[in-house]
Structure formats: C-alpha cells, structure tokens
Amino acid sequence: MMKKLKDLWNNIPEELTVTKLDGALLVIDSLLLGILLGILFAPRRKATYGCGNGTTTIYQYGPEEEEV
C-alpha cells in the first residue's frame, strides 16, 4: 500500500496549470468546508432547545383524572 502511495506521489507533476474558474471554485470549496467543520466541531457555549416560553416543559404529576 505504501509503495502505491509513494509511486502516486512521485508521478504528480511539479507544475500544475489551473484555470481561473478552477482556482475560484477551489477557494470557495475550501471556505465552505472550513465553515462546515467549524460549525460541527465548535464547542457549544449555551444550548437552548425550544423557544423558552415554558411550553416545552413536561411535568409528570401522575395519572390523569379520567384514568382513575
């Protein structure tokens, strides 16, 4: 496996011609990938789920009156 990777690395040309469109797309792709990885791996500072108006709180008081 290492021999194949070494051969592949040695066969890459030293100079590579890139068009302006390819260069721009490479920069845009790198930027978007960096933003995505930053969102995925950033530590959570404050996690709030729901809107915070009290409707997401679930209380367990026991069986309902209809069930008794």
Side-chain angles (χ1 to χ4, degrees):
M1 183 61 145
M2 288 301 292
K3 182 169 176 32
K4 288 182 183 179
L5 290 174
K6 196 174 197 180
D7 289 340
L8 180 67
W9 182 257
N10 290 333
N11 290 335
I12 296 175
E14 290 186 20
E15 291 185 15
L16 184 65
T17 305
V18 179
T19 63
K20 288 181 183 180
L21 178 62
D22 289 338
L25 289 175
L26 181 65
V27 169
I28 291 170
D29 287 344
S30 300
L31 179 70
L32 291 175
L33 181 64
I35 290 172
L36 180 66
L37 290 177
I39 290 171
L40 291 176
F41 292 115
R44 303 290 184 252
R45 296 185 185 262
K46 183 178 180 184
T48 303
Y49 302 102
C51 58
N53 64 0
T55 59
T56 57
T57 306
I58 300 172
Y59 298 105
Q60 300 291 333
Y61 290 125
E64 294 288 332
E65 292 182 16
E66 294 96 26
E67 296 177 5
V68 176

